[in-house]
Amino acid sequence: MDLHTAASQGSIVDIQSEIEKGTDVNARNQYDRTPLWLAVMNGHLDACTVLLAEGADAKEPEILEHAVHQGHAKIIELLWPHCEPKVHYRYLENAITSGSHDIADSLVKSGIFKDRYSQDTGIIDMLDKEGFSKRGNTAFQQWERFIFVRRSENIQLHPTLFNYALILAAKADRNSGMRLLNLLLGGDNPLADVNCRIKIHGEIETPLTCAAGQANLEILAILIQHPDIDLALCGKYGWPAFIHLLMTLDSKSSSKGWNMAHMLCKDGFPDSCLAASTETDWEIVYKNVIRHGEDDLVDEVINLVRGHFAETPIIPLLIRANQTYGVEWILSHDIACASEPSPDLWVVLCEFLQCNPASDALECFIRAAEIIIEKGIWDPMILVCLNLYNFSFVKQFFYPANKILPPDVTEETLKGLSMAMIDRSLIGDWADKGFAKTLLWSAIQSDVWKDEAFEIFLSSPYINPNEPFLRRKSSREERAHACSTERSEDLVISLDSSIPPRQHSDNNQFSFKSLKEQVRRAELSALKQKQKRCPLAWAVGERNLQLVDVLLRSSGVDVNFRDKEKKTPLIHAINANDQQIVERLLRVPSIDLNIPDFIGRTAVFHAAVVGNLHIIQMLIETRKVDLSTRDYNGNSALELAKRIGKQDTTAALTT
């Protein structure tokens, strides 16, 4: 038995035997574990005693941490004198957080946290360097229990540990850390510092910024009213508390939340507070403050970020605040071309103007649009819409013409379409530049097609409801779905008709890895082909009967439209094996069942390959199917069915 196995099993005889043979007592196994770690993990006190006596190294932090988590009190007592002094706080924190409060009591009673750290800066230096680990939002519960039970005693803990508990209370979900907060800050001699700064998972955090980041308004109210509170104190990301709160507030937030934001921004902030922030962190803050903030909040955010990041992204805020000179100054410099604000920020600004039609910001917005259009950054249609006060229709133009729009923007654009129709030149340019096509696909892909305005849009003479799919760039479209092994085999067989059915598994040269690669390529190829379909064929491929029905109610939709593979929506429905959609398509009087695809196969050929007898029967009962048609290989549908070996399909076609 080797030393690691002996330590795991707690075999003293075998441990001593291996050591006598000269085995290194600190040797690591293939999992990078020492014999002492394995003995601790399995709770073998005697084995730990022998290993320590033989020179085992107990200073590795994980060893004692594991003993704490497992609740091995005797082993902890044995290891304690051998541990690195500067990380003692970590073991106590683990003991309290994991609920091993008896172990925590024994560690506190050792006196080390009172006598040593009360006069030594060792723990402070260590915490400044490493800090605490990230904990879940329920970790405060164990600290609350530990402190509450011992509240009548003089708990000998270093203040830093009480401060850490205060951070946990402030971060607790839905103000649930209120009792712990009151325990730590109550009385004439509070246990914790309301302005403490604790490093957690590499980030500096404070009680105020943590409560703001969780939108814990009750806790925030207590902290704000504390006589010693510093409202300008910055925490995570170098943000002050009011920025953290603006990140969490939205349209559903109560007026109390926005009042808190006003209270938090009443003090000035140091110029260096945003040094660690990045420009991309701020989009949510910008959106919220543009949409819902009062003027003083908007001004405070502008003043805070100005000079720290590129100026261009704050243009929507400057317009919202009607700071005309600031806007013109920024747009007169080259940075206006180097860094455009997010389209979403312009959309939010339009929402603000819709809700505040009397705002002076519109005039500033129009002036800014004129300058941006002069620089060739924006389409002139934006200015036309602004002058028409059509804030719904203008939103689409902030995005590229080939980009799928967010659902809310798509819905708003459809609402503003009827008003935009008044200006024929606007609508003509809109369609010519591809925005109409984008709107069509955005509506289809975001379920906005369920809106009544969509059917009105389909009837518009300015759109072509048969235009092929606009290539989508989202990661969801790029990812191929996983296939089972059986489906993979069938798919690969269909890709290479030269390989006879059921011979792949016996082919020694055919590896599962190559199978998966072929499947992946086939699925990506299928996605690309799907992206070239017309709206009706796309809806068929999605098996969306309701959307198919909506599209077919439009006189402009061509039920016989062929994609780049010359396949019709009916062929796609058959390949999808969707009987309901096939039945719906067959009810269209103008449908042509004999249109061949790129290899000369009509709908009945594809039905023969799929082998769905009900679909074959529906096709034949229309009396519109030409069974004499042959594909480019000279085969009829019946001959193809015989070749595949589907006897029931052959019988159906023969009948």
Side-chain angles (χ1 to χ4, degrees):
M1 182 182 297
D2 62 68
L3 181 57
H4 292 91
T5 304
S8 296
Q9 297 179 5
S11 175
I12 304 300
V13 174
D14 291 318
I15 289 173
Q16 291 174 332
S17 174
E18 286 298 309
I19 291 175
E20 288 174 1
K21 292 178 182 178
T23 304
D24 182 3
V25 72
N26 292 310
R28 296 180 178 273
N29 64 7
Q30 66 268 34
Y31 304 109
D32 200 36
R33 300 303 185 190
T34 63
L36 180 61
W37 193 96
L38 295 169
V40 170
M41 181 179 69
N42 292 282
H44 300 309
L45 177 62
D46 292 340
C48 292
T49 303
V50 172
L51 289 167
L52 285 172
E54 294 294 338
D57 183 7
K59 291 184 179 180
E60 187 177 357
E62 278 191 18
I63 293 177
L64 193 57
E65 285 176 14
H66 187 80
V68 169
H69 281 298
Q70 295 296 318
H72 300 318
K74 293 293 184 182
I75 292 179
I76 293 169
E77 185 178 344
L78 174 68
L79 295 175
W80 189 255
H82 301 275
C83 295
E84 177 63 41
K86 288 187 178 181
V87 295
H88 281 160
Y89 78 93
R90 185 183 295 175
Y91 308 133
L92 179 60
E93 185 268 320
N94 278 334
I96 297 175
T97 304
S98 64
S100 301
H101 294 172
D102 54 339
I103 293 176
D105 283 331
S106 66
L107 296 180
V108 172
K109 289 176 182 177
S110 69
I112 191 168
F113 295 98
K114 173 187 176 183
D115 298 331
R116 187 164 188 163
Y117 288 145
S118 60
Q119 299 175 3
D120 187 0
T121 60
I123 189 171
I124 301 297
D125 294 340
M126 195 66 187
L127 286 172
D128 285 343
K129 182 180 179 182
E130 294 189 12
F132 291 92
S133 301
K134 188 176 182 180
R135 298 289 187 182
N137 288 345
T138 59
F140 80 96
Q141 294 173 342
Q142 293 296 341
W143 281 83
E144 179 184 86
R145 177 174 156 232
F146 181 79
I147 296 172
F148 185 78
V149 170
R150 296 155 184 80
R151 66 189 185 281
S152 60
E153 306 170 11
N154 183 19
I155 308 176
Q156 301 299 321
L157 287 182
H158 192 279
T160 302
L161 293 167
F162 285 122
N163 291 340
Y164 172 69
L166 181 60
I167 294 288
L168 294 180
K171 293 174 72 172
D173 282 333
R174 299 180 181 179
N175 299 290
S176 52
M178 285 281 290
R179 185 169 74 161
L180 178 56
L181 184 90
N182 289 324
L183 282 172
L184 294 168
L185 294 180
D188 296 332
N189 296 303
L191 297 172
D193 177 9
V194 70
N195 294 315
C196 65
R197 301 175 77 250
I198 299 294
K199 181 181 282 188
I200 298 178
H201 198 59
E203 293 280 358
I204 295 295
E205 301 200 24
T206 74
L208 192 67
T209 55
C210 287
Q214 290 293 123
N216 286 334
L217 302 184
E218 300 298 326
I219 289 178
L220 262 180
I222 293 175
L223 294 174
I224 289 173
Q225 293 168 9
H226 195 283
D228 298 328
I229 194 68
D230 178 5
L231 297 180
L233 195 65
C234 297
K236 197 173 184 180
Y237 312 131
W239 291 358
F242 99 97
I243 294 297
H244 283 280
L245 186 57
L246 289 177
M247 282 284 290
T248 57
L249 294 179
D250 54 29
S251 58
K252 298 178 182 178
S253 301
S254 65
S255 59
K256 183 177 181 179
W258 290 101
N259 289 336
M260 290 277 183
H262 284 283
M263 296 172 69
L264 287 170
C265 77
K266 67 181 181 181
D267 287 359
F269 300 99
D271 291 339
S272 60
C273 70
L274 301 182
S277 297
T278 62
E279 192 175 295
T280 55
D281 296 327
W282 286 79
E283 188 167 315
I284 296 175
V285 176
Y286 290 163
K287 284 182 182 179
N288 282 338
V289 77
I290 291 173
R291 186 182 283 133
H292 308 294
E294 298 295 333
D295 291 342
D296 59 338
L297 281 179
V298 178
D299 289 338
E300 190 60 54
V301 172
I302 291 172
N303 292 334
L304 192 61
V305 301
R306 194 196 297 271
H308 287 280
F309 313 126
E311 294 281 358
T312 308
I314 69 168
I315 290 181
L317 273 77
L318 294 171
I319 294 172
R320 160 74 170 80
N322 195 26
Q323 295 188 17
T324 307
Y325 294 110
V327 173
E328 292 185 353
W329 182 87
I330 291 174
L331 292 176
S332 65
H333 290 72
D334 291 339
I335 57 172
C337 300
S339 176
E340 282 190 74
S342 163
D344 295 340
L345 294 180
W346 296 116
V347 168
V348 172
L349 181 59
C350 288
E351 289 177 10
F352 168 77
L353 291 170
Q354 281 178 288
C355 298
N356 300 273
S359 172
D360 294 333
L362 177 58
E363 187 176 342
C364 184
F365 196 178
I366 290 174
R367 176 63 187 134
E370 290 173 348
I371 298 173
I372 297 174
I373 289 168
E374 287 174 6
K375 289 178 174 287
I377 298 174
W378 275 357
D379 194 290
M381 288 186 281
I382 289 178
L383 189 58
V384 175
C385 292
L386 290 178
N387 284 316
L388 289 173
Y389 296 88
N390 193 339
F391 299 114
S392 293
F393 197 68
V394 73
K395 294 177 182 179
Q396 65 184 311
F397 298 120
F398 300 121
Y399 300 87
N402 62 347
K403 178 179 174 60
I404 297 298
L405 302 172
D408 56 334
V409 175
T410 301
E411 189 172 358
E412 281 289 298
T413 303
L414 286 174
K415 288 179 181 177
L417 179 60
S418 58
M419 181 180 174
M421 288 286 197
I422 298 172
D423 190 325
R424 292 193 176 184
S425 62
L426 169 64
I427 293 299
D429 286 348
W430 171 69
D432 291 342
K433 293 178 180 178
F435 288 104
K437 178 180 175 182
T438 297
L439 181 61
L440 173 65
W441 282 106
S442 296
I444 287 175
Q445 294 184 16
S446 60
D447 285 350
V448 179
W449 56 267
K450 296 177 182 178
D451 195 297
E452 291 181 4
F454 179 73
E455 294 198 43
I456 300 173
F457 169 60
L458 275 181
S459 64
S460 168
Y462 294 97
I463 71 157
N464 179 2
N466 302 305
E467 285 197 84
F469 184 72
L470 179 69
R471 180 166 183 125
R472 190 172 185 172
K473 296 183 180 180
S474 70
S475 58
R476 191 177 64 142
E477 279 290 317
E478 294 296 330
R479 290 195 301 266
H481 297 291
C483 294
S484 64
T485 304
E486 181 178 357
R487 180 184 165 200
S488 301
E489 183 178 336
D490 292 339
L491 181 54
V492 174
I493 290 172
S494 70
L495 290 175
D496 189 352
S497 58
S498 65
I499 303 177
R502 299 301 172 193
Q503 290 186 9
H504 288 283
S505 57
D506 299 327
N507 189 342
N508 294 330
Q509 296 179 350
F510 191 82
S511 68
F512 182 69
K513 183 177 181 181
S514 64
L515 173 66
K516 288 180 66 177
E517 178 62 21
Q518 289 193 50
V519 170
R520 187 187 70 81
R521 291 179 180 177
E523 289 186 337
L524 289 176
S525 175
L527 281 175
K528 290 178 181 179
Q529 293 304 322
K530 191 175 179 182
Q531 290 169 342
K532 298 173 184 176
R533 297 178 184 177
C534 66
L536 181 59
W538 187 89
V540 167
E542 294 293 305
R543 304 173 71 93
N544 192 330
L545 178 60
Q546 188 180 355
L547 175 56
V548 168
D549 194 54
V550 169
L551 292 170
L552 288 176
R553 287 202 295 267
S554 172
S555 59
V557 173
D558 182 3
V559 71
N560 297 314
F561 187 87
R562 302 165 79 189
D563 60 20
K564 288 198 173 183
E565 289 187 328
K566 308 300 181 183
K567 292 180 181 178
T568 64
L570 177 61
I571 291 176
H572 287 300
I574 293 171
N575 289 336
N577 204 16
D578 195 311
Q579 295 179 187
Q580 286 185 302
I581 291 181
V582 170
E583 184 179 3
R584 177 65 184 89
L585 292 171
L586 291 177
R587 293 206 304 267
V588 179
S590 60
I591 191 168
D592 186 345
L593 277 61
N594 299 305
I595 297 176
D597 65 9
F598 72 108
I599 55 174
R601 294 180 178 179
T602 63
V604 72
F605 281 82
H606 290 271
V609 173
V610 171
N612 188 316
L613 297 179
H614 185 63
I615 290 179
I616 293 174
Q617 184 178 3
M618 283 194 294
L619 293 174
I620 294 176
E621 286 178 352
T622 64
R623 300 184 180 276
K624 296 180 179 180
V625 177
D626 183 358
L627 292 175
S628 66
T629 300
R630 294 183 176 274
D631 63 18
Y632 296 160
N633 292 322
N635 298 312
S636 67
L638 176 60
E639 290 168 345
L640 181 63
K642 289 179 180 179
R643 185 180 175 192
I644 295 174
K646 295 184 177 181
Q647 296 180 358
D648 51 354
T649 302
T650 302
L653 291 170
T654 303
T655 303

